[in-house]
Amino acid sequence: MKKVAFACMISLSLAGPSLAQDVWVTVDNDVLNQVQTSLDSSYQTIHTAQGASLLKLDAQKVESLANIIHDKLHRCGGFIAHESYQEAFDSISYQGEMYFSKSVAFLNYKINQQKAVNSMVPQLEEMKIREMIIKLSSFKTRHHKSQTGLESTQYIHDEWKKLISHRTDAKVELFTHRGTPQPSVILTLTGSESPNDILVIGGHADSLAGFFGGANSTAPGADDNASGIATMTETLRVLMQNGFQPKKTVMFMAYAAEEVGLVGSKEIAQQFKQENKNVLGVIQFDMTLFKGTADKDIVMMTDYTNTAQNEFLGQLIDEYVKVPWGYSRCGYGCSDHASWSNAGFPASMPFESNKGDMNRHIHSAKDTLQNSGGNASHALKFAKLGLAYLVELAN
Ligand code: BES
Ligand code: ZN
């Protein structure tokens, strides 16, 4: 069988404490079926909920499981290993909420900010996005446990801080995590009329390369996910340049440690849920650089996302971005939008291509700007969408 050219990371909670002898793993039905035929009897099915199962597995077998999924299903990830039975159980119990959040009420909203959006969209610059991708991918790695992983989040913090330096209603903070030494970066523009209503635009700050995804491998992560961070940053730059003052609160988030199991976003979304924060919508930018599908520019992932918000994004694309778009699915909680969906909030993930046409260089030293076409013109479309999303919904 042909080997897939890019490496997968093992979706084990590497961020957690030491590895116990038994690992609690959650998988979907496709993986469960494959495990039943391919893995020896060293696992136990503990619990099955709608579409997901909890398995107890010898820690030594995690690698075999990753290999089976990779070789037979041609997928990276596809399972999540948890530190405790309780965490694993909670995560499949969330499946109910996953469907709930798919259909959770999304704002009943009609596009009405044409004047503001149409004047700002032309100010978005491909070159600015490209420059930030070059800068972020010049860190040897942004691995969540590396020194340069810390430096790169500090860099994002400092860039964002510069963009809001003239504002008294804005702040940038580092969010410290339990599960990783890497902080997330959170920028808040406080709403002038309903500050308790929150919109979140996010992407992950970390990168990863190599089968075991160590902190020493070279991981430029230009597409995955310097592109998402640079895309959001360009949206922020133009909003600030135009004195954008949202009525609702807008938060920009660069999440830590996504690549090792959505660690940063999971902690943030769970905290927001516990604090009963009113998050009205979440948009995730993870990979916006590589144009892999000829006849579609923006592809909305349909799993772990909110159907009504996805449709609304389609309307925004038609109105403001004017590019062909469609739907695809990851097949598992492939990025930080899943953390928000699992916490019961409406989330969407507009992606660079159909899943099947994705950039094959991610998670390797080859995930460079050059290997995604050498410019950020594809990412620019997502910056337009992000800008339209915020200006329409926050006003
Ligand atoms: N950017 C990827 C997710 C992705 C890859 C989305 C391909 C769509 C197509 C993300 O950074 C990632 O690698 N996620 C992990 C899963 C996560 C739970 C650790 C993955 O896909 O293996
Ligand atoms: Zn990613």
Side-chain angles (χ1 to χ4, degrees):
M1 186 189 305
K2 189 171 161 291
K3 279 261 175 252
V4 181
F6 63 97
C8 300
M9 55 88 51
I10 292 186
S11 186
L12 179 63
S13 284
L14 295 167
S18 65
L19 200 58
Q21 249 224 293
D22 285 325
V23 186
W24 306 95
V25 176
T26 48
V27 299
D28 65 18
N29 284 339
D30 294 344
V31 174
L32 183 67
N33 291 338
Q34 200 50 248
V35 163
Q36 282 164 345
T37 49
S38 309
L39 198 64
D40 58 34
S41 53
S42 58
Y43 74 93
Q44 268 176 277
T45 309
I46 303 294
H47 197 78
T48 298
Q50 312 164 26
S53 294
L54 194 168
L55 315 180
K56 187 169 148 188
L57 197 69
D58 188 315
Q60 311 292 329
K61 295 284 172 186
V62 171
E63 197 180 333
S64 321
L65 177 63
N67 285 332
I68 289 167
I69 295 172
H70 192 252
D71 292 348
K72 307 269 188 212
L73 297 172
H74 311 291
R75 279 165 49 177
C76 278
F79 71 95
I80 297 184
H82 304 268
E83 284 164 31
S84 65
Y85 168 76
Q86 194 57 45
E87 190 196 301
F89 181 79
D90 285 351
S91 111
I92 63 164
S93 312
Y94 285 150
Q95 293 290 325
E97 274 179 350
M98 170 195 149
Y99 293 106
F100 166 70
S101 64
K102 212 175 185 50
S103 58
V104 74
F106 177 66
L107 292 168
N108 187 5
Y109 185 84
K110 288 254 169 319
I111 292 176
N112 64 15
Q113 297 290 314
Q114 281 91 346
K115 199 159 167 264
V117 178
N118 284 327
S119 75
M120 285 190 259
V121 159
Q123 300 174 43
L124 293 162
E125 291 180 39
E126 178 275 325
M127 173 86 92
K128 295 276 184 197
I129 305 177
R130 199 196 318 161
E131 282 168 358
M132 186 148 186
I133 292 171
I134 291 169
K135 175 68 199 186
L136 284 170
S137 50
S138 74
F139 291 96
K140 180 172 184 271
T141 177
R142 301 187 302 282
H143 190 277
H144 76 116
K145 284 189 173 169
S146 68
Q147 179 59 30
T148 46
L150 292 178
E151 290 165 12
S152 58
T153 41
Q154 187 63 45
Y155 170 76
I156 295 166
H157 171 278
D158 295 350
E159 285 302 298
W160 287 4
K161 182 115 195 165
K162 275 191 243 164
L163 293 174
I164 59 159
S165 60
H166 59 297
R167 300 277 295 236
T168 53
D169 56 345
K171 61 180 179 186
V172 192
E173 293 163 315
L174 293 177
F175 184 108
T176 310
H177 293 288
R178 294 187 301 277
T180 171
Q182 187 174 50
S184 294
V185 186
I186 301 185
L187 180 148
T188 307
L189 299 173
T190 303
S192 58
E193 283 182 18
S194 43
N196 293 333
D197 292 341
I198 301 171
L199 294 163
V200 174
I201 177 167
H204 67 89
D206 64 320
S207 70
L208 185 108
F211 198 82
F212 291 102
N216 296 322
S217 319
T218 299
D223 190 11
D224 187 11
N225 182 32
S227 68
I229 298 295
T231 297
M232 291 158 58
T233 303
E234 180 56 2
T235 295
L236 175 67
R237 185 187 71 79
V238 169
L239 289 173
M240 293 301 95
Q241 178 171 288
N242 287 271
F244 171 65
Q245 277 183 322
K247 293 180 179 157
K248 303 189 184 83
T249 291
V250 169
M251 300 179 102
F252 284 72
M253 301 196 180
Y255 306 109
E258 183 268 358
E259 297 284 11
V260 289
L262 317 180
V263 172
S265 59
K266 206 191 288 179
E267 288 186 22
I268 295 170
Q270 288 301 314
Q271 181 175 313
F272 276 46
K273 181 186 173 183
Q274 267 151 27
E275 293 175 356
N276 278 319
K277 293 232 163 115
N278 192 26
V279 179
L280 299 174
V282 176
I283 188 166
Q284 171 74 1
F285 289 127
D286 183 0
M287 299 170 65
T288 63
L289 191 60
F290 177 74
K291 179 169 165 50
T293 303
D295 62 351
K296 284 186 189 73
D297 283 330
I298 299 180
V299 177
M300 238 88 67
M301 292 304 183
T302 55
D303 43 359
Y304 294 86
T305 59
N306 180 270
T307 309
Q309 182 175 247
N310 291 341
E311 286 166 6
F312 175 65
L313 290 178
Q315 291 171 23
L316 289 178
I317 297 168
D318 290 341
E319 179 78 29
Y320 296 117
V321 193
K322 302 187 195 315
V323 294
W325 61 275
Y327 289 109
S328 183
R329 66 191 291 272
C330 266
Y332 54 96
C334 66
S335 189
D336 302 299
H337 59 290
S339 297
W340 291 101
S341 276
N342 283 338
F345 300 115
S348 295
M349 156 107 152
F351 187 67
E352 64 189 11
S353 69
N354 289 334
K355 176 79 192 317
D357 302 328
M358 63 180 274
N359 182 350
R360 301 279 147 183
H361 293 305
I362 68 163
H363 298 175
S364 81
K366 291 185 175 161
D367 182 4
T368 60
L369 176 69
Q370 274 324 309
N371 283 333
S372 282
N375 67 67
S377 54
H378 197 53
L380 183 63
K381 301 159 195 165
F382 294 79
K384 293 178 185 174
L385 177 60
L387 188 138
Y389 177 80
L390 294 179
V391 174
E392 287 286 353
L393 291 184
N395 271 317

